Amino acid sequence: MHTLPLALVLGASFAYLLLLFTVAWWADRRASAGRSVIGNAWVYALSIGVYCTAWTYFGSVGRAAASGLWFLPIYLGPTLAMLLAWSLLRKMVRIAHTHRITSIADFVASRYGKSRTLAALVTLIALVGILPYVALQLKAISSGFALLAGTQGANSAQGTPWWLDTTFVMALLLAGFTIAFGTRHLDASERHEGMVAAIALESVVKLLAFVAVGVFVTWSLFDGPGDIFARAAADRSLAPLLGLTGSSGGEARFAGGQWFALTLLSALSVLFLPRQFQVMVVELVDERHLRRATWAFPLYMLLINLFVLPIALGGLLHFGRGGADPETFVLSLPLAGGHPWLALLAFVGGLSAATGMVIVEAIAVSTMVCNDLVMPIVLGSGRHTSDLSRLPLQIRRVVIVLLLMLGYLYFRIAGEAYALVSIGLISFAAVAQFAPALIGGMYWKGATRAGALAGLVAGFALWAWTLLLPSIAKSGWLPHGFVADGPFGITLLRPEQLFGLTGLDSLTHALLWSLLANIGLLVAVSLARPPAAREVAQALRFVDVFRSDRQAGGTATVRWRAQATLAELRQLAARFLGAEPAERLFAEYAQRSGARRIERIVLDAQLVRHVETQLAGAIGSASAHAVVATVVEEEPLGPSDLLRLLDEASQVRALNRQLESLDRLKDDFISSVTHELRTPLTSIRAFAELMRDDPDMATAQRQEFLGLVVAETERLSRLVNQVLDMAKLEAGHGQWRREAIDLRELIAHAVHTTSELFRERGAVVTVEQPDEVRPLMADRDRLLQVLLNLLSNAAKFVPQDGGRVRITLSTDARGATIEVQDNGRGVPPEQQRLVFEKFRQGGDASNRPQGTGLGLPISRRIVEHFGGHMWLRSTPGQGACFGFELPWTHDTVGDQS
Amino acid sequence: MRTAATRSSRLLGLCALGAVGFNFPLITLWDRSVTVFGVPLMALALFAGWAVLIGAAAWIVERGPDDAGASAPTESAEP
Amino acid sequence: MSAKHVLIADDEVNIVISLEFLMKREGHRVSVARDGDAALEAIRRERPDLVLLDVMMPGKSGFEVCQAVRADDSLAAVKILMLSAKGRDTDIAKGQALGADAYMTKPFSTRELADKVREMLG
């Protein structure tokens, strides 16, 4: 058999990997320039092709050579699953994108109340479960490499020390490659455009290479499919491979079950393998791409599987049974046929398949381990005073190396005993354990955290018992009697015939028990105890994600968290996102919420949730929640939400607590307003009634009363307007104009308007201002309102006949300052603070002039809206000076010019 | 009236059809030692059936209205 | 009904005017206090037959004045009718607990107020 020079094989491999890397780098560059290459349904569909790994390349052929068409269910299952993509997958995508979920662990944890325990468990299962799969890739490449370069026998895996083992070296190289690929920077959404582009290319290469070999085998080595099949049919040992029955692994009566199990298993895996979740959910840019993928990906699988059987049969016919390892037919046949370059191409294809899997899987799993396992521990230990923005990346790199090393370890321990396909199926069965918790969580509101936890633990335990341990045992690392007779000879606990269930092949057997326990416990435990408050809210959000999206704004409930300080939140964001991204985050939010300046951002549930969501992208939602919770004191859900939730005693107590505090807050304002409103109403009613009941009232008296009624009506409407004004200002709904204002002219206008008022009081108004003032950008009517307020206040408090009011306008580089000084009684120090509070009025009651008590608070609000501030300076007995400063420039959002 | 809901239910139906048709016992109907165009019936049936399934899915999915599906929200679109 | 002395204790000018007019129409003699301290002092000094007592006043509140008056046995003959914009059951109960003879919420009906005053003054 021909072989290729070692250097050539290595060179070709490196060249190809370099090509992948270049494509990734280029795609990332394009992405940051805003011209993404992956916003394309075909690219998306191709990227899902990462499902086909070295397993497809080598394992399927091997399987077909052993059991004929029994390699196919592994691709039929995903086809059926993709048909559900439009409903199931789209729901998953919608949920994930709504809640910034970036991994399977995040998804499960988030659904069940952001449980960190669940996140950690899922991560652990994923990590352990994926090890066989990684080992499979390593095994495939190493045997392929050995075959191609002729190093077989000289370097067998079992004989050499591990540090010289090419497989080990390869594992290290793959780890390095993956690190370079996926951990160059932290992306809040965990998207890796470069990786997706590379994977899509890699899918194309895989397909072309395999089809090329298939075409070669079918039409060059043989005379077309008819020839192959005819010759296979003629060979008695090969004929059974052409049909279904008679070629399955277990007993014939269970063939149907086995076929179904394989189909189901692979259907679940195409959804729940970490790498599949990554490319199908996290990396998805547009939901509409799902449509194309529904049939394009199955088509891909069909094409790549078209020649599996011909190649397998061809190889068996060519080499004879046992002549060559069927798993590497795709290499050995071209070599035997005198086409080493084709073999090299095939090897590159296989390498491509393996590296694609390893890269995406390692990135996905390392993300999970970082966000859901390590970061919560780091944060929980409290040692997070320093800047943590580099830590996630470092953790992921370590995990990637760890993953590949452990995969290599499994390869050494258990890799030789099994065929590739069987190894892969072990991993499939592991990730299938996510299905009940995840799918159940998406469609059943009653699924609880406890149920998911119980199901996962049981499923994982049974999987380990019935599949993982036997695989290790059969490689000789555990006494053989363990599998044959059960632990300590307890036959009832035999790993492959648990509780006496015989006749099934090990996979179906394992699947049956693990899923049975998983689903059973999920349902039973969920029904046994009602979920906690937070879980039910999440359940509603997940199950009803389509419904709530149709309402305005997405999620239907917003939790109220009180007592968070803005500064602490900013610090938090800077610590985990980096100083600059955090600054941008808050600046953006300030713009959008109308606060203009970051310091002015109103602290409410929306902001806190926004920050938490952004953090979730970097460190996982469970960790983000925990971290934000340390800054914020959480109040339970609001009254309307609680009506929809189950009634737990603690919830009722929380409701009462919250009602009390809200009550207290609102009491002050409402009682003030109602009192203020009722007072003029009282006199209006009284006068009106008095006039009505006394038709003979003197005209002069009647006129006086009517005058008072009119005045009180005016007072009432002024008050109502001011309350509305205040409410609008506080809610940020005020309409603000922006225009150039001549301050000198404005002051003159205000003085003129109040001149009558001052004349009545016998007061004199003087104005001191520069001759020229640059224009100020603000709302003229509002500023006039402020000036009139200050002037009328002054008019109220100056002494009769001797009042002096001085208005001063001064400017500097920063802005303009206006002060109104009167020679009234002044304001005592203890009242100076109160003056700007709603409904407080200065002076004593007996000669307090008419007012609403809202004028100054509103004025202050107006001034602050334009970036300025207002103050009062007063010494009792020496008058009062109200002043305000307005900067020349400020950032406002929502102003109309 | 082709809505997203119709599409979902059709796909669901297709999936159910496939699940039933591609599993035992129905699938064993094709398991005979017959060849069509030189290809054994079982293999041909599986692949042809698979292709038909894909074609049907493509038909259902591509013919529908181009609904305004939601894109993955970017940072700024986060409410 | 003989003319009685009614003290009006309220800080709102217009309400005082209307109450004053009303009481005079009923034929009573009226005096006015504009805050809680003045009200208490006027009650002690003038011993009115009835006090129309507003709750929200600067200085002492109407509740405090009521309490002080009722604590003083020599003022037991003074009737107290409390007036307030606050109409919650708790406030009414509080007023009555402190010894007010009647409690009316603003805005009040002049007829009802006159009737109540007549009733209280016998």
Side-chain angles (χ1 to χ4, degrees):
Chain A
M1 186 178 300
H2 304 273
T3 59
L4 288 165
L6 186 65
L8 181 62
V9 179
L10 283 176
S13 309
F14 273 111
Y16 178 72
L17 292 180
L18 195 63
L19 174 68
L20 277 186
F21 197 83
T22 314
V23 167
W25 175 82
W26 170 74
D28 268 333
R29 274 274 299 267
R30 286 278 296 253
S32 31
R35 295 173 306 150
S36 165
V37 294
I38 69 167
N40 180 321
W42 292 109
V43 173
Y44 174 68
L46 279 175
S47 71
I48 307 180
V50 77
Y51 177 75
C52 302
T53 68
W55 174 338
T56 306
Y57 235 77
F58 303 104
S60 288
V61 177
R63 176 91 159 182
S67 349
L69 287 163
W70 280 83
F71 73 94
L72 214 43
I74 299 175
Y75 303 96
L76 292 175
T79 302
L80 293 174
M82 288 310 286
L83 289 178
L84 294 179
W86 189 245
S87 354
L88 180 65
L89 193 57
R90 197 162 63 104
K91 189 165 191 179
M92 269 170 72
V93 164
R94 187 70 65 87
I95 291 173
H97 287 155
T98 309
H99 296 89
R100 290 269 182 185
I101 288 170
T102 54
S103 71
I104 292 204
D106 238 11
F107 198 100
V108 175
S110 187
R111 162 60 177 82
Y112 295 105
K114 307 217 176 169
S115 156
R116 277 169 42 184
T117 323
L118 263 181
L121 182 62
V122 170
T123 305
L124 217 57
I125 295 177
L127 183 61
V128 174
I130 228 61
L131 293 178
Y133 213 147
V134 173
L136 187 170
Q137 311 300 315
L138 294 176
K139 171 170 173 161
I141 303 181
S142 68
S143 22
F145 184 81
L147 178 71
L148 212 55
T151 58
Q152 247 172 349
N155 214 355
S156 80
Q158 301 290 37
T160 49
W162 58 269
W163 60 86
L164 288 180
D165 186 359
T166 46
T167 317
F168 175 71
V169 174
M170 198 176 32
L172 277 179
L173 285 174
L174 274 178
F177 193 58
T178 308
I179 288 175
F181 232 96
T183 58
R184 274 171 303 162
H185 50 256
L186 213 53
D187 180 68
S189 62
E190 298 294 356
R191 298 209 13 243
H192 306 82
E193 290 226 357
M195 180 187 77
V196 172
I199 296 300
L201 171 70
E202 182 257 300
S203 292
V204 173
V205 171
K206 270 188 311 212
L207 181 63
L208 289 179
F210 198 83
V211 167
V213 174
V215 164
F216 164 75
V217 169
T218 312
W219 281 284
S220 178
L221 227 46
F222 295 87
D223 291 323
D227 180 29
I228 297 184
F229 288 122
R231 288 168 58 173
D235 183 335
R236 286 200 56 194
S237 64
L238 295 183
L241 298 178
L242 300 175
L244 273 186
T245 47
S247 55
S248 67
E251 289 178 28
R253 64 188 165 117
F254 286 123
Q258 280 168 223
W259 182 273
F260 176 72
L262 283 171
T263 312
L264 177 67
L265 198 53
S266 43
L268 294 176
S269 303
V270 82
L271 294 170
F272 299 129
L273 282 168
R275 71 173 186 277
Q276 296 300 126
F277 190 86
Q278 181 75 25
V279 295
M280 291 206 294
V281 175
V282 178
E283 303 283 353
L284 179 65
V285 292
D286 189 337
E287 272 191 16
R288 288 172 292 181
H289 293 174
L290 281 173
R291 295 196 314 168
R292 185 71 43 81
T294 307
W295 60 270
F297 172 58
L299 181 63
Y300 180 88
M301 285 192 289
L302 186 147
L303 289 175
I304 206 171
N305 280 294
L306 214 47
F307 287 102
V308 169
L309 200 54
I311 292 178
L313 292 174
L316 288 171
L317 287 169
H318 188 96
F319 294 111
R321 258 225 155 127
D325 179 11
E327 290 185 342
T328 50
F329 276 168
V330 83
L331 298 176
S332 47
L333 281 174
L335 278 180
H339 291 86
W341 288 97
L342 185 59
L344 185 64
L345 176 66
F347 176 73
V348 166
L351 178 72
S352 185
T355 47
M357 179 272 178
V358 167
I359 290 172
V360 186
E361 204 79 79
I363 289 176
V365 170
S366 69
T367 305
M368 271 200 276
V369 170
C370 171
N371 289 352
D372 298 293
L373 207 53
V374 178
M375 287 303 280
I377 297 177
V378 167
L379 298 171
S381 74
R383 297 192 309 112
H384 48 96
T385 50
S386 54
D387 175 32
L388 287 176
S389 59
R390 301 298 298 171
L391 192 59
L393 273 180
Q394 289 159 351
I395 294 177
R396 284 164 207 218
R397 290 175 183 148
V398 169
V399 171
I400 289 174
V401 174
L402 192 70
L403 181 69
L404 275 150
M405 288 301 102
L406 286 175
Y408 173 73
L409 194 67
Y410 186 87
F411 161 72
R412 286 297 292 251
I413 291 177
E416 294 297 313
Y418 280 165
L420 290 179
V421 173
S422 312
I423 298 178
L425 288 174
I426 297 178
S427 286
F428 273 21
V431 298
Q433 304 307 320
F434 299 147
L438 226 142
I439 298 183
M442 281 202 287
Y443 290 98
W444 182 34
K445 294 176 195 173
T448 70
R449 181 181 150 275
L453 208 56
L456 273 173
V457 169
F460 181 62
L462 281 167
W463 168 82
W465 186 253
T466 55
L467 272 185
L468 190 67
L469 284 182
S471 74
I472 296 176
K474 285 183 185 174
S475 303
W477 291 83
L478 289 173
H480 199 254
F482 176 74
V483 174
D485 308 313
F488 314 111
I490 308 175
T491 48
L492 213 54
L493 292 179
R494 274 177 302 166
E496 295 188 339
Q497 289 92 23
L498 205 56
F499 306 126
L501 186 64
T502 57
L504 294 172
D505 68 311
S506 59
L507 182 74
T508 315
H509 170 265
L511 197 65
L512 181 69
W513 283 118
S514 57
L515 280 186
L516 197 64
N518 196 332
I519 298 176
L521 280 178
L522 172 69
V523 172
V525 176
S526 294
L527 290 175
R529 283 195 317 164
R534 203 168 57 189
E535 271 188 68
V536 183
Q538 286 295 97
L540 288 165
R541 287 197 187 109
F542 272 57
V543 176
D544 289 340
V545 72
F546 285 130
R547 202 179 312 157
S548 63
D549 267 359
R550 288 195 208 109
Q551 297 167 6
T555 51
T557 62
V558 175
R559 281 189 288 174
W560 173 255
R561 302 166 205 245
Q563 294 146 39
T565 65
L566 191 58
E568 283 185 67
L569 278 178
R570 288 175 69 185
Q571 259 180 358
L572 205 66
R575 215 187 291 152
F576 290 104
L577 300 175
E580 224 195 78
E583 206 55 24
R584 260 180 291 141
L585 158 71
F586 276 87
E588 250 183 351
Y589 188 92
Q591 287 274 9
R592 274 189 295 128
S593 67
R596 301 141 356 270
R597 284 223 306 252
I598 293 183
E599 297 78 27
R600 297 259 173 268
I601 292 178
V602 173
L603 259 170
D604 62 359
Q606 251 198 322
L607 171 68
V608 176
R609 192 176 144 259
H610 182 61
V611 173
E612 189 185 314
T613 313
Q614 295 298 319
L615 284 177
I619 59 174
S621 62
S623 305
H625 183 73
V627 144
V628 171
T630 65
V631 171
V632 151
E633 267 176 32
E634 189 173 0
E635 302 271 28
L637 296 162
S640 61
D641 307 326
L642 286 174
L643 287 176
R644 300 163 72 189
L645 300 179
L646 299 176
D647 210 63
E648 280 185 19
S650 60
Q651 288 173 34
V652 175
R653 268 181 271 133
L655 170 58
N656 286 334
R657 272 205 312 272
Q658 192 179 3
L659 276 179
E660 276 169 49
S661 70
L662 278 178
D663 217 23
R664 265 175 275 133
L665 282 173
K666 285 184 175 169
D667 224 6
D668 289 345
F669 184 71
I670 288 193
S671 63
S672 303
V673 172
T674 50
H675 185 267
E676 294 300 317
L677 289 176
R678 281 182 176 158
T679 303
L681 278 176
T682 306
S683 7
I684 292 174
R685 180 178 184 175
F687 288 136
E689 286 186 357
L690 288 172
M691 284 189 287
R692 175 198 64 191
D693 293 341
D694 188 358
D696 296 327
M697 187 184 283
T699 315
Q701 179 73 77
R702 188 183 298 272
Q703 285 305 104
E704 182 197 339
F705 279 179
L706 283 171
L708 290 172
V709 164
V710 170
E712 289 291 72
T713 323
E714 284 173 356
R715 175 179 166 194
L716 194 53
S717 49
R718 253 201 319 273
L719 178 68
V720 168
N721 288 336
Q722 285 199 325
V723 169
L724 284 175
D725 214 11
M726 193 82 223
K728 276 206 293 190
L729 281 178
E730 299 220 308
H733 291 322
Q735 278 177 310
W736 300 92
R737 309 241 314 279
R738 275 191 70 160
E739 52 201 324
I741 301 173
D742 178 357
L743 290 170
R744 286 170 45 102
E745 185 268 327
L746 189 75
I747 292 176
H749 186 149
V751 169
H752 179 79
T753 309
T754 52
S755 58
E756 185 63 27
L757 203 61
F758 285 112
R759 202 176 53 76
E760 277 176 20
R761 303 270 312 175
V764 170
V765 178
T766 54
V767 179
E768 280 175 23
Q769 57 193 355
D771 293 325
E772 272 186 32
V773 178
R774 64 181 266 202
L776 177 77
M777 297 300 286
D779 185 322
R780 190 177 180 284
D781 291 339
R782 292 291 195 179
L783 275 195
L784 188 61
Q785 186 180 352
V786 172
L787 273 179
L788 288 176
N789 175 236
L790 294 185
L791 284 176
S792 55
N793 279 350
K796 284 179 204 159
F797 287 97
V798 287
Q800 185 75 31
D801 296 322
R804 283 195 310 280
V805 175
R806 190 182 72 222
I807 306 171
T808 326
L809 167 62
S810 56
T811 60
D812 59 33
R814 256 197 356 214
T817 307
I818 295 181
E819 289 184 329
V820 176
Q821 170 85 52
D822 66 68
N823 65 340
R825 267 171 294 120
V827 181
E830 63 271 14
Q831 282 193 20
Q832 285 184 15
R833 194 178 48 83
L834 298 178
V835 140
F836 289 104
E837 288 190 21
K838 304 188 249 277
F839 299 123
R840 304 264 189 216
Q841 291 181 274
D844 72 75
S846 52
N847 51 13
R848 182 175 64 216
Q850 295 281 346
T852 58
L854 279 181
L856 276 174
I858 291 179
S859 296
R860 179 179 245 186
R861 255 344 201 106
I862 293 173
V863 166
E864 285 176 354
H865 176 90
F866 290 109
H869 57 286
M870 188 180 255
W871 62 82
L872 162 64
R873 273 200 320 266
S874 175
T875 319
Q878 292 177 24
C881 175
F882 283 89
F884 61 94
E885 188 209 7
L886 289 170
W888 296 120
T889 54
H890 55 277
D891 303 314
T892 55
V893 179
D895 289 3
Q896 300 157 291
S897 305
Chain B
M1 183 180 59
R2 275 173 247 113
T3 64
T6 318
R7 186 185 292 140
S8 309
S9 11
R10 281 183 181 171
L11 286 172
L12 208 64
L14 193 62
C15 177
L17 198 67
V20 166
F22 276 100
N23 267 298
F24 286 54
L26 284 185
I27 204 171
T28 57
L29 291 175
W30 306 99
D31 199 7
R32 286 156 223 256
S33 314
V34 175
T35 63
V36 179
F37 304 119
V39 181
L41 185 62
M42 187 75 243
L44 186 68
L46 276 175
F47 276 90
W50 196 2
V52 165
L53 203 66
I54 293 174
W59 182 81
I60 294 175
V61 148
E62 298 290 351
R63 267 189 72 213
D66 191 23
D67 50 349
S71 318
T74 56
E75 301 244 14
S76 57
E78 225 276 321
Chain C
M1 187 186 55
S2 55
K4 305 281 183 167
H5 181 196
V6 175
L7 173 70
I8 300 173
D10 198 322
D11 59 328
E12 270 292 328
V13 171
N14 290 341
I15 294 182
V16 166
I17 294 177
S18 56
L19 285 175
E20 203 177 356
F21 187 91
L22 181 63
M23 289 296 105
K24 283 187 175 159
R25 195 186 68 186
E26 293 289 306
H28 302 302
R29 186 163 60 86
V30 172
S31 49
V32 171
R34 304 216 182 249
D35 65 64
D37 299 295
L40 195 55
E41 195 218 340
I43 293 172
R44 290 205 170 105
R45 194 181 58 232
E46 300 176 20
R47 308 286 165 113
D49 300 295
L50 177 75
V51 179
L52 293 176
L53 186 58
D54 180 30
V55 168
M56 301 280 280
M57 284 192 292
K60 288 193 162 56
S61 78
F63 288 132
E64 289 170 322
V65 171
C66 181
Q67 198 173 19
V69 168
R70 283 295 168 248
D72 188 343
D73 287 329
S74 63
L75 300 173
V78 177
K79 301 272 197 305
I80 297 182
L81 197 164
M82 297 198 80
L83 292 167
S84 178
K86 285 191 175 184
R88 299 213 302 227
D89 293 335
T90 47
D91 300 300
I92 299 176
K94 183 174 176 182
Q96 284 169 341
L98 288 173
D101 298 287
Y103 191 109
M104 287 190 77
T105 55
K106 296 177 185 174
F108 47 78
S109 153
T110 47
R111 282 190 192 159
E112 279 178 26
L113 182 67
D115 288 342
K116 181 69 84 172
V117 165
R118 225 173 289 131
E119 185 191 313
M120 285 165 74
L121 288 177

